[in-house]
Amino acid sequence: MTHHEHPHAALVRRGYEAFSSGDMETLGSMMTSDCTHHVPGESQISGHYKGRDNVLGGYYRMLGELSGGTLRVELKGVYVDGRGHAMATHRFFAERGDRGIEMDGGLFFTVVGDKISDIDECVADITETDSFWGTG
């Protein structure tokens, strides 16, 4: 059986590759200028990052700084509905001080045209991620 990857699935895969390699220029080119990333929980990284610059220079930069560059994400799967939504599942790993975290999570994407306009993040254990990232 031949597998034909939907363009939205390919977009999400390229986004994960760009994130993993630290290529924020490419990642930014895949987002609308008003893209919003919604981060669950009550930690210092939780909240709504509105606008491509806030997503890249705010949230993603903070993840790198707080983890000392140790954050990595392994993509497990991408699923699309063909109507502008894609869902990705992954496992993420990071270290912070004397602590480490390894957890499953996912991102739910809204795609407008050929760009990501909204990202809703989900994690397996919000309490644990809040504890790991801290309150600042």
Side-chain angles (χ1 to χ4, degrees), residues 32-95:
T32 60
S33 63
D34 62 348
C35 180
T36 302
H37 191 130
H38 309 275
V39 183
E42 301 293 328
S43 76
Q44 64 181 322
I45 66 166
S46 299
H48 307 283
Y49 296 84
K50 297 178 182 181
R52 178 177 45 226
D53 293 341
N54 287 327
V55 172
L56 298 171
Y59 179 47
Y60 297 168
R61 179 190 53 73
M62 191 182 326
L63 289 174
E65 288 176 0
L66 291 173
S67 71
T70 64
L71 176 69
R72 64 186 173 86
V73 179
E74 293 178 359
L75 181 63
K76 293 169 100 177
V78 179
Y79 314 94
V80 297
D81 69 357
R83 297 184 320 270
H85 302 106
M87 179 175 62
T89 58
H90 59 251
R91 188 151 188 91
F92 66 94
F93 310 82
E95 295 176 9

Side-chain angles (χ1 to χ4, degrees), residues 4-14 80 82 86 111 113-114:
H4 299 284
E5 186 167 56
H6 190 277
H8 295 163
L11 176 70
V12 168
R13 285 186 195 283
R14 285 193 318 273
V80 297
V111 180
D114 61 350

